Structure formats: structure tokens, C-alpha cells
Amino acid sequence: CSEENDMTTITVIFSGFRALGLYSNHLSHVVRYHKKHREFYIVTAVGNCFHTYNVKKLGIVAVSNALPEDISYLAADRMLVYVAIGKKVSAFARNKEVVHMYTGHGADVHLLLPFGDHIISVDRGNAVIVWDVESEEEYLQITFDKVSFEVSAVMHPSTYLNKILFGSSQGGLQLWNVKSNKLLYTFTGWPSGVTVLQQTPAVDVVGVGLSSGQIIIHNIKFDESLMKFQQDWGPVTSLSFRTDGHPVMAAGSPVGHIGLWDLEEKKLVCQMRDAHNTAIAGLTFLHGEPLLITNGADNGIRVWIFDTAGGGGRLLRSRLGHSAPPTKVQHHGLNGHHILSAGQDGTLQSFSTVHERFNRSLGHGSINKKKSKKKSLRYDKLKLPAITTFASESARQSDWDSIVACHRGYLMTTTWNYQKGSMGAHKLEPERFNKNRALSVHATAVDITSCGNFVVVGLSSGHIDVYNMQSGMRRGQYGEDEAHRGAVRGVSVDGLNQLTVSAGADKLVHIWKFKSRKLVHSIDLGTTPVTTHLHRDSGMLAVALDDFTLNVLDMETKRIVRKFSGHRGQVNDMAFSPDGRWLITAAMDCTIRTWDLPSGCLVDCFLVDFAAVSLTMSPTGDFLASSHVDNLGIYLWSNNTLCGMVSLRPLPADYEPTVIMLPGTCPDEEGEGDADLNTEMIEYESPEQLDEQLVTLSMLADSRWKNLLHLDIIKKRNKPKEPPKVPKAAPFFMPTIPGLIPQFAPSEDSNQGEQVREVYTSTMNNPSSSLFPPDDGPVGMLKEMGPSGIDAELRGLAPDMGGDVSVLQGFLKMVASMLDSKRDFDLAQAYLALFLKLHLRLISQEPGLMEEASKVSEKLEDTWTSMQTLFNQSLCLLSYTKSALL
């Protein structure tokens, strides 16, 4: 029983497809070189899996299988990729599947170093274990005193056979021979902890980064420091050295800056400020190339090229996502290939569902874009806060701005140009608050008309203003003073620019004439609305209320036509399916629910680990996109109803959904299997007859019964022009009967007519309808025949063709039985029509046949009368509905 219950709680409409906009986290990347491809690859960690990109185009090459926990460290050698998850270390082959697992640590692993046929791991308990890669056995374990030497960095000095250099958070270094398990040398070190150890292009020389921001180039052979540098941006997070002939060292910092140092002149050459919005997690110069690869916790990978004077690098290519969770997502355009996303980081970005190369960032909002370009936007006081909501329309995006956004706490709304990929030309702000700037009035809702010419903006003061999109000029307002006596919670314009609907904190929904801006109708909701969403094609307005319920308003009749309850938390966002049949809602109770509007039922519900804050349904209906609390990605859910038959049933009131994992950047095999089980379980097998009172057809092809009355015409039309020729020789294979004496097998149909006549004759003795099951007896035999065979059989019922009057009477009883059962209704009509055509004169001469024929006629008339009544009722209702809507 428990297994069946588990299967019934799996979502049937949506299944996780993939995640967009996830590229990197706080862990350093790894660079690998493929000898056969002669190409560099970047490996970055993203949650519980890692991605592999090629450096040439930053295109994603592979995504690893998901791990049970988030990755805590990443390393790689020529063949394998090693990841640390908790107290375990896993080795991946082909960038995808786990081939080795190393267990034995007593604390979480935080450092890894591939070392030939071994892998070295360091845990938080200060234990160092050397593993044999193939056998997965522990080769050596070294334990350090955490008070005097806490391992914080590890590296293998080039050309030092079997030697490993450890750095400590106390500032000292130790050189160990891991083959003999001997401490070879202890370096005094420095007062600050070691954060980075990196091999320089010179043998015996190591770059050491300290937590104080100091960088030391140290010769470990003679234990002497060759040069020292100091960065003022905090601890050194990563180091790398150019190997293309330029003696340059790059150092990363926690604030996102990169310092470039000339090792010959021993000075700072260039500062690459704000290379990332967060700490530099890793940076690597490609061997023999002027390319620097960086990644950071801001969910970005950047490739810099050094081909300009001055020593600084310019951005060559990048993959960027949101550095803070998205707050609003919405499809842009009619093809469903682009998703606009506004994040808490203040940026507006477009993600492509087709390929990452079509992604684009529209940038960060600024009050003065020209000044922001001259100054650093990071410290720009004119920088706008995060976008709370926005609206987009692609109708006139090639002519002027196509996106309008509201910013947190700002009265002003900004326009954005999707074609140019930047902030637009206008800032929409009413003049009524110019004299009293102390009022904390801000924009709360916005919508663009379907033609792309007008913008409607709702404010927290209750005002609703209309602006022209092309000029940015204000064209009027709704209401004499204010549209609502509280904050506007939602505003929408219908598809034909006839009506505008608004919802406010005063618990009212107002419907206005768009052009004259006069109030047409008001509806009291009884509860304060939270947000609204309009489906323009159907004219249905969904309103989410403070009491966690949903109302659906029909703009045509101006009535609330549906009310839904079931959410246990505030509704964050809503989306309609393209045909308007489904309303999909997401709430703080971590559920995503699908409501069927025609039936008024909940048809799908599933839980996620993190509450969804925004939803958007593709205009083509193939994907549902969601953004979630504390998650940087945008998650796509595929619509299963487009791929196959999905049976939707109303869910009970006490339905308890199970948690569905958020889609990763790779498919979840377990989830796919569950979906298959679920689809198989709910598959509906229709009976041959739904009810005894319903007329049921035979489902045979029309060619099997429709032409029975016109066989003579068809035969005349298909008559051969020449007589058939005798074959020259008999067939190579003739059917024979097995035995001592060879005999040819008779045809299978030779005795079939006699069998049919025997069954017809038997009906005289027992005329019960049970003798005529639809797939057995004479009906079943006739179903298997073609039109010519049926015609020959019915002709053979006549007395002059070997039949009898009793056989004809039995056939009429069979037709009466078919009419009584109301099954194979089309066949009964066709067989009866052909029978009357062939034997009408004989029936009129025989009283017994006339009596049976009159009974069949009465049953046929009763059946057609009831069907005609039902047809008339349906046509009447349909005509009334059409006239009422007009």
C-alpha cells in the first residue's frame, strides 16, 4: 500500500527538465587539457554536480551526475575529476559518472590534490590521507597537531619526486616525502596564515599567498624569499603565473579585484577592479596563452585576454548568471525561447532555453546612465535598487523600449530596450509628488498594452497613471484623484485595449474603460488582494488574496466564476496555460499547484524544497519556468501533456504531496522512472460500452461497412478491361495437409457460410439476445469479413441460394438484438439496409418475416427518436450559448 501511495503523490503534469543560469559557486575552478582534442576545458562546481566547459566558446560540454550533497572541493588530473562531499571523496570518469569512492575520513574533507597514481585529501580534523586511485585503499595517513600546524594549503613542487608541500593557518610550511612518510624540512614561515600555494614557472620557486594580503615568492630549495608584494584588498584567494613569455603574476582578492604584478620589475602593473561582484574563487592563466580564466561566487565565469598595451586584460567571453536570487521571471516573445529575469542583485537578464550563447544581460539600473559609465557602478550612488516587478511586450520592441520595471522603494519606473540589451531612454514618474518628496510612495504594479504603445503604472498611494511608451510622456490617470484608497496590488489591460482592471488594498477590483478611463464596474473581494494576473486571450483575471485563496474573474461577464482554496501560505505568483484552461500557482507553503478552470478542481500539486517566488508559462505551453528562494537558477519543468496522454483527475481535499527535487542541469533518472510508473498507473482503459443506455459504434473502418449498398456500382467501375490470363505455372508453395499421402489443404472460408447459416437457424429455437455477443457468433464472423464477403453471405440466406426462411428470420432477430444492446450501431444499420435491398420482395410475401421486420422497425424508430431528442437539446443549448455571448 505504501508504494501505491507514493506513486499517487508524484506530479503528473510537470517533470523537472533542467536549470538555467547556473555556472559557478564559491569553489575554485579546475583547468584540464585534452591531448587528443588539443583543447582546454574548465570544470566548475554548481551545487551537487559540476559542469565542464570548453575554453574556446565557453560552451557546456558535460554535466556530472548529481551527488547526494553539495561539493566542498574540486580537483582534477589527466583522467579523472575528484570531488569532496562531506567525509567522502568521489572520482568521476568522462566528466559524468562516479568510478571510485574513498571513505575513511572522520571529518569533512576540504582540500584535495591529485598526485600521480594517488589522491591526497585533507579534512577539517587535520588528517591527511594518501589514497591509491585504482584500488581505493589508504596508502598513508599523516596527522598534524591542529594547534601548531593546521593544514590550509597543499601542493606538489615541480620536479620534487614524491614530495608534498603543506601550508598552515599558523603561517609555516612543511615539506614531506609521502612515499617514506618523512618530514624533510620545516619552513619558519610568516606571521599570517597561508591561504594559497602555487608553483611558479621557475623550478624550486613557489608563490605563497597569506591571509594578510601579502604575496611571497619563495625559493624552497634555499628557504629564502625572493620578493614580496602586498595587496590591500584582504587575504589572497588565488594565484596564477603567465607562461607565454611575460613574467606576470595575477592575485585574487575577496572583494572581486585582481592585481597583476610584474615579477621582473617587482611592481604592480595593473588592477582589474570589479572583475567579479564577489570574491575571486579561482584564477588560472592558460599554459602558453595570454588568457586568464576566473570564476567567483557571483555565479560567473570570465575569460580575459591580454592583447592591449598597459598590461591589463579585457573581457573576451563570459557566462554570467544572477549573483543573487531572482525575484521575477517572465517569458518574452511569442516563441517561448527567452526568459527575462530580475534578481536581487539589481540586474535584468535574458536566458535562452535553446542555447546559452543567446543569453544576454541588460545590465544594472541607474538613475544617470552616462555618469555611471564614467564612474564605477559598484560605488555609484546613482545605482537603482533591485527590480520588484516588470512587464514586457515584444510587439514594438524594434521601434522603442519594450520593458518597464518597478524598483524597490522608488516612485520612478524605468524602461529597458531588449533589442539593444540595455536600459532604455525614459524614466516614468508622475509630477504630483514633486512638492512633497518626503512621502514614501513607490510603484507597485505595471503593465504594457498588447500593442506596445502604452504603459499603465500603479502606485502605493492608490494612483494609476498611463504613459506613452515611445515618448515617455504621461497621458492621464484613472479616477478623479486616486483609483484606490490603498496601494495598487495589480493592474492589467485586456488584449484589445478596451478595458483596464486594477486591484487595490481597499479590497476592491475596478474595471475601467481604457480610452476614456471611466469606471465601469467594481467588485468587492472581501479580502485584501496580494497580486493579480490576466490571461488576455480568455479574459480571465486571477486574484490571489491575503487569506491564501484564489478568485478568478471573468472580464466579459464581470463576475467571479471560480474560487480556489488549499494553499497554506501567501501566494507569490500565478501563471495561466496558453489555452487558459489551467491556473498554476506558487505559494510560501512550498507547493506548486495546477487548477483546472473548466472543472474547478485541483488536478496537480507537488512540493519543492524551496518556495517558488515567481512562475511563468511558455507561450507555446512546453515549459513552466520557476525561480525559488535562495536559489540563483531558473528551473524549467516540461509539460508532459504535450508528449503523451496524461489522465487528469481531481485531487482530494486531504491530498498530501511529496517533495520533488528541483531540476538540475542534468536529467534525474530516478524521477524519470517514477514518472513512467505514475503514467502507467493512471492510464485509463475505456470499456467497449460506457453504459447500456448509450449508443456505441463498432470502431471498424468506414470501408468495412459504408459501401455495402454500392457494391454493384463499385464492381462495375472496377470491371477489368481484359479477361484474366491463366497463370503459366502453379505457385511454388501450395498449402498441404501433413500425412503419408500428400493432399492439398482446402480453403479456410469454404465452410464459413455454412457455420453462419447454422447460427442463424439456432436463433429460432432460442431468440435470446445473449446468443449475439458483439465479438462472437454471426456478428463476430461478419466483422471479420470484407464488404464482398458480407454481400455474398447475405445473398446466400435466400431459399434459392441454399438458405431458408427460418435463416432470414434469424438474421432479423440478430439485428433486433444489436439494436437492443445499442452496440455496433453503425454495423446494424448497414447490415439491415443491405438485407432489405436483397430480400425485400421475399419479406413482403412471408407473414413470419413481416412480423419480425415490423418489430425491428419499431425498435429502430424508438432508438432514432431518443437520439434525435438528444441532438436537438444539444443544438439548442449551443445556439443559445453563441447568441448569449454575442
Side-chain angles (χ1 to χ4, degrees):
C1 294
S2 61
E3 291 181 0
E4 292 179 1
N5 291 337
D6 288 343
M7 285 195 294
T8 57
T9 54
I10 299 171
T11 173
V12 294
I13 297 180
F14 299 108
S15 58
F17 179 62
R18 60 173 296 207
L20 301 176
L22 293 175
Y23 300 107
S24 172
N25 61 8
H26 63 284
L27 300 180
S28 175
H29 66 267
V30 179
V31 175
R32 306 179 71 194
Y33 181 72
H34 199 290
K35 286 186 177 180
K36 187 176 181 180
H37 297 169
R38 295 184 179 181
E39 193 173 0
F40 287 99
Y41 293 93
I42 313 168
V43 182
T44 61
V46 178
N48 61 351
C49 63
F50 62 83
H51 297 181
T52 305
Y53 300 88
N54 54 22
V55 176
K56 188 180 294 183
K57 294 183 178 180
L58 275 188
I60 190 162
V61 175
V63 177
S64 72
N65 294 336
L67 292 164
E69 298 179 44
D70 285 350
I71 297 172
S72 57
Y73 199 83
L74 196 63
D77 59 14
R78 189 175 62 89
M79 298 298 295
L80 302 173
V81 177
Y82 304 93
V83 298
I85 47 167
K87 301 176 184 179
K88 300 178 181 179
V89 178
S90 299
F92 283 79
R94 296 175 292 278
N95 295 317
K96 191 170 184 66
E97 55 192 12
V98 177
V99 292
H100 298 295
M101 182 75 75
Y102 309 96
T103 57
H105 278 283
D108 291 345
V109 179
H110 71 107
L111 290 174
L112 292 175
L113 178 67
F115 185 57
D117 295 333
H118 300 82
I119 175 74
I120 300 171
S121 57
V122 184
D123 62 22
R124 297 290 180 184
N126 220 29
V128 178
I129 300 179
V130 182
W131 307 88
D132 185 273
V133 172
E134 289 299 324
S135 66
E136 302 180 9
E137 295 178 355
E138 183 180 310
Y139 175 78
L140 174 68
Q141 181 167 351
I142 308 171
T143 305
F144 294 91
D145 182 12
K146 203 169 185 178
V147 177
S148 59
F149 196 90
E150 182 180 2
V151 179
S152 58
V154 59
M155 69 159 286
H156 165 58
S158 181
T159 71
Y160 280 55
L161 190 63
N162 300 325
K163 312 297 190 302
I164 298 295
L165 183 65
F166 294 99
S168 68
S169 58
Q170 286 79 16
L173 303 177
Q174 290 186 7
L175 185 65
W176 282 74
N177 187 319
V178 293
K179 187 174 183 179
S180 60
N181 192 16
K182 288 184 180 179
L183 173 63
L184 302 180
Y185 189 78
T186 300
F187 299 85
T188 306
W190 303 270
S192 300
V194 178
T195 56
V196 182
L197 289 174
Q198 181 65 39
Q199 176 69 51
T200 68
V203 180
D204 303 325
V205 181
V206 175
V208 183
L210 304 180
S211 59
S212 62
Q214 195 174 28
I215 306 166
I216 294 97
I217 307 300
H218 196 78
N219 189 315
I220 58 174
K221 184 176 182 179
F222 301 105
D223 190 13
E224 62 179 6
S225 297
L226 304 180
M227 57 190 79
K228 296 182 180 180
F229 305 101
Q230 178 69 44
Q231 71 174 17
D232 300 331
W233 304 320
V236 180
T237 58
S238 51
L239 290 173
S240 188
F241 297 87
R242 287 184 69 171
T243 55
D244 60 336
H246 296 268
V248 174
M249 174 186 68
S253 67
V255 294
H257 304 329
I258 298 175
L260 299 174
W261 308 82
D262 191 314
L263 299 181
E264 283 187 352
E265 299 182 5
K266 300 181 181 180
K267 67 176 184 179
L268 180 67
V269 178
C270 182
Q271 299 180 27
M272 297 170 59
R273 288 184 171 266
D274 300 323
H276 287 268
N277 296 330
T278 57
I280 305 294
L283 50 83
T284 307
F285 278 108
L286 291 188
H287 183 72
E289 296 187 26
L291 296 178
L292 175 67
I293 300 169
T294 63
N295 78 301
D298 60 350
N299 194 20
I301 306 171
R302 291 176 168 88
V303 179
W304 311 83
I305 185 169
F306 293 82
D307 58 354
T308 58
R314 65 177 179 88
L315 186 63
L316 180 63
R317 60 184 71 94
S318 63
R319 287 284 179 263
L320 303 175
H322 283 292
S323 58
T327 55
K328 170 78 174 176
V329 293
Q330 181 177 311
H331 276 89
H332 181 75
L334 300 177
N335 56 12
H337 292 169
H338 302 282
I339 299 175
L340 286 172
S341 172
Q344 295 179 10
D345 54 0
T347 61
L348 183 63
Q349 301 197 32
S350 172
F351 294 97
S352 172
T353 60
V354 178
H355 197 277
E356 292 171 338
R357 68 173 178 269
F358 300 121
N359 292 358
R360 60 198 305 187
S361 174
L362 280 72
H364 200 298
S366 176
I367 296 176
N368 193 320
K369 194 165 63 172
K370 291 183 178 179
K371 285 186 178 180
S372 298
K373 286 184 177 180
K374 294 180 181 178
K375 300 180 179 180
S376 173
L377 189 62
R378 186 182 180 92
Y379 302 104
D380 186 13
K381 294 181 180 178
L382 303 177
K383 184 172 64 174
L384 287 171
I387 295 172
T388 55
T389 185
F390 65 87
S392 71
E393 179 57 54
S394 60
R396 302 298 294 270
Q397 67 178 9
S398 58
D399 300 323
W400 49 73
D401 299 342
S402 57
I403 304 168
V404 178
C406 302
H407 296 264
R408 184 182 296 120
Y410 263 68
L411 173 64
M412 175 182 65
T413 54
T414 56
T415 62
W416 300 71
N417 194 301
Y418 186 82
Q419 292 283 93
K420 297 179 180 178
S422 64
M423 196 171 172
H426 307 300
K427 295 172 179 62
L428 312 178
E429 184 175 4
E431 298 178 355
R432 69 173 68 90
F433 299 106
N434 288 349
K435 296 180 181 179
N436 192 353
R437 287 283 184 176
L439 294 174
S440 58
V441 180
H442 58 275
T444 57
V446 66
D447 193 25
I448 301 177
T449 57
S450 58
C451 61
N453 292 316
F454 297 98
V455 182
V456 182
V457 181
L459 307 178
S460 61
S461 59
H463 295 86
I464 300 177
D465 298 300
V466 183
Y467 298 88
N468 183 276
M469 197 69 177
Q470 181 180 9
S471 63
M473 297 179 64
R474 184 173 175 273
R475 294 304 186 193
Q477 68 178 41
Y478 289 95
E480 295 181 1
D481 183 21
E482 55 191 31
H484 291 273
R485 295 183 180 178
V488 178
R489 297 293 172 84
V491 61
S492 302
V493 183
D494 69 352
L496 299 176
N497 290 3
Q498 297 296 314
L499 298 174
T500 302
V501 59
S502 63
D506 54 0
K507 306 178 183 179
L508 295 176
V509 171
H510 291 326
I511 300 177
W512 315 79
K513 283 286 186 183
F514 175 77
K515 191 172 182 180
S516 64
R517 293 183 280 279
K518 292 182 179 179
L519 183 62
V520 177
H521 191 72
S522 294
I523 300 172
D524 190 356
L525 298 172
T527 311
T528 306
V530 177
T531 183
T532 64
H533 184 72
L534 175 67
H535 186 256
R536 282 176 172 165
D537 292 343
S538 65
M540 293 294 172
L541 178 76
V543 184
L545 304 178
D546 262 346
D547 59 358
F548 312 150
T549 61
L550 303 161
N551 286 355
V552 180
L553 171 70
D554 186 0
M555 294 280 287
E556 190 69 36
T557 61
K558 301 177 179 60
R559 290 182 179 180
I560 294 175
V561 293
R562 290 289 184 270
K563 291 185 178 182
F564 300 119
S565 61
H567 279 294
R568 300 172 185 173
Q570 177 180 306
V571 178
N572 293 328
D573 202 5
M574 301 174 288
F576 280 99
S577 60
D579 57 2
R581 290 184 62 91
W582 296 340
L583 175 64
I584 306 152
T585 58
M588 290 305 294
D589 58 2
C590 295
T591 61
I592 296 178
R593 298 172 184 255
T594 304
W595 312 85
D596 187 65
L597 293 184
S599 63
C601 298
L602 176 68
V603 293
D604 191 40
C605 176
F606 62 96
L607 277 166
V608 288
D609 290 321
F610 304 92
V613 296
S614 185
L615 289 175
T616 176
M617 190 75 176
S618 168
T620 55
D622 48 0
F623 292 115
L624 173 73
S626 63
S627 63
H628 298 259
V629 174
D630 296 334
N631 279 265
L632 301 181
I634 297 171
Y635 300 92
L636 296 182
W637 308 82
S638 58
N639 185 357
N640 297 330
T641 60
L642 297 183
C643 307
M645 290 296 295
V646 176
S647 176
L648 299 181
R649 299 178 181 178
L651 299 180
D654 57 349
Y655 180 76
E656 290 295 334
T658 54
V659 177
I660 304 296
M661 297 294 292
L662 289 178
T665 42
C666 57
D668 186 1
E669 296 177 1
E670 295 181 2
E672 290 179 357
D674 291 343
D676 292 342
L677 287 173
N678 186 40
T679 306
E680 186 176 333
M681 182 204 65
I682 65 169
E683 186 176 354
Y684 176 69
E685 295 183 1
S686 175
E688 293 186 4
Q689 189 174 21
L690 298 178
D691 190 83
E692 293 180 358
Q693 302 300 320
L694 298 178
V695 171
T696 306
L697 303 182
S698 64
M699 300 301 291
L700 286 180
D702 292 351
S703 60
R704 302 282 295 276
W705 57 271
K706 239 182 183 180
N707 299 320
L708 286 176
L709 290 176
H710 311 292
L711 278 179
D712 50 350
I713 300 174
I714 296 173
K715 287 180 179 179
K716 188 179 295 185
R717 186 182 62 191
N718 296 339
K719 185 178 181 180
K721 296 180 180 179
E722 299 178 1
K725 296 180 180 180
V726 179
K728 295 180 180 180
F732 189 79
F733 290 106
M734 296 290 288
T736 58
I737 298 174
L740 296 175
I741 302 174
Q743 291 182 351
F744 291 112
S747 62
E748 296 179 357
D749 298 333
S750 59
N751 298 324
Q752 190 171 2
E754 296 179 4
Q755 295 176 4
V756 175
R757 294 188 193 98
E758 289 176 3
V759 178
Y760 291 149
T761 308
S762 67
T763 60
M764 295 297 297
N765 301 325
N766 189 359
S768 173
S769 61
S770 61
L771 284 176
F772 303 103
D775 296 321
D776 198 3
V779 180
M781 294 178 184
L782 290 173
K783 277 185 176 182
E784 295 175 358
M785 295 181 185
S788 299
I790 297 173
D791 182 73
E793 282 298 327
L794 295 191
R795 289 181 186 273
L797 300 180
D800 55 350
M801 297 292 291
D804 190 63
V805 174
S806 61
V807 178
L808 294 171
Q809 198 169 355
F811 183 87
L812 288 173
K813 290 185 177 182
M814 181 197 74
V815 174
S817 172
M818 294 173 71
L819 293 176
D820 285 337
S821 66
K822 296 188 177 181
R823 298 177 68 172
D824 300 324
F825 192 71
D826 46 354
L827 296 185
Q829 305 291 322
Y831 295 162
L832 182 59
L834 180 60
F835 180 81
L836 294 176
K837 178 182 177 182
L838 298 175
H839 307 295
L840 185 59
R841 180 175 296 178
L842 182 60
I843 293 173
S844 63
Q845 296 173 357
E846 295 290 337
L849 292 177
M850 280 295 295
E851 183 183 354
E852 198 65 41
S854 61
K855 293 179 182 179
V856 173
S857 178
E858 290 176 4
K859 292 180 180 179
L860 191 61
E861 188 175 351
D862 292 342
T863 306
W864 273 113
T865 302
S866 61
M867 289 182 64
Q868 190 65 41
T869 304
L870 293 174
F871 287 149
N872 291 337
Q873 290 177 355
S874 301
L875 290 172
C876 180
L877 180 62
L878 182 61
S879 61
Y880 169 75
T881 306
K882 292 168 70 176
S883 61
L885 288 176
L886 293 174

